Amino acid sequence: MSWFCETQLRDLPAGCRIMITCEKCGGQREESVRQLVNEARVGAIYLDLIEWAFSCADFHCGGSVSFGIFTPVEIAAAPVRLRA
C-alpha cells in the first residue's frame, strides 16, 4: 500500500495544489486542496479514491486522470542596492 492510498485530502497542507492530468488527451488543470475540502466536500476521502472518481474536464474526452501534488514555492526578492 502506498502513501497515496493512506492519505486523506484533508491531511495535505491547505496551500497545496493538485495538478490533474488526463491520461487520454493530456489536458491539465489545477485544483487547490482548500477548494476541494471546502467546496467539493471530499476532505475525508483518500487520494486514490478521489483520483479514481475524477475524470477529464473536457466533456468530449471524459478520460481517466492522474494527480500530481505540489506546493507553491515563494521566491523571495533579492535585496537591490541602488547607486547614489
Side-chain angles (χ1 to χ4, degrees):
M1 196 177 268
S2 74
W3 68 271
F4 209 65
C5 298
E6 299 172 350
T7 306
Q8 293 181 347
L9 186 64
R10 66 180 173 199
D11 295 336
L12 297 174
C16 269
R17 300 197 57 79
I18 297 176
M19 178 65 72
I20 303 170
T21 305
C22 177
E23 295 176 350
K24 186 176 177 183
C25 72
Q28 293 184 325
R29 71 181 193 269
E30 281 185 34
E31 296 283 346
S32 72
V33 169
R34 181 178 293 122
Q35 180 182 5
L36 290 173
V37 169
N38 293 338
E39 295 176 13
R41 308 261 188 230
V42 291
I45 300 176
Y46 293 98
L47 292 177
D48 62 333
L49 297 176
I50 296 172
E51 184 181 57
W52 178 78
F54 272 49
S55 61
C56 184
D58 183 355
F59 176 75
H60 298 289
C61 176
S64 60
V65 298
S66 61
F67 282 4
I69 299 169
F70 64 95
T71 305
V73 177
E74 238 179 79
I75 299 173
V80 177
R81 292 185 182 194
L82 300 175
R83 291 185 173 177

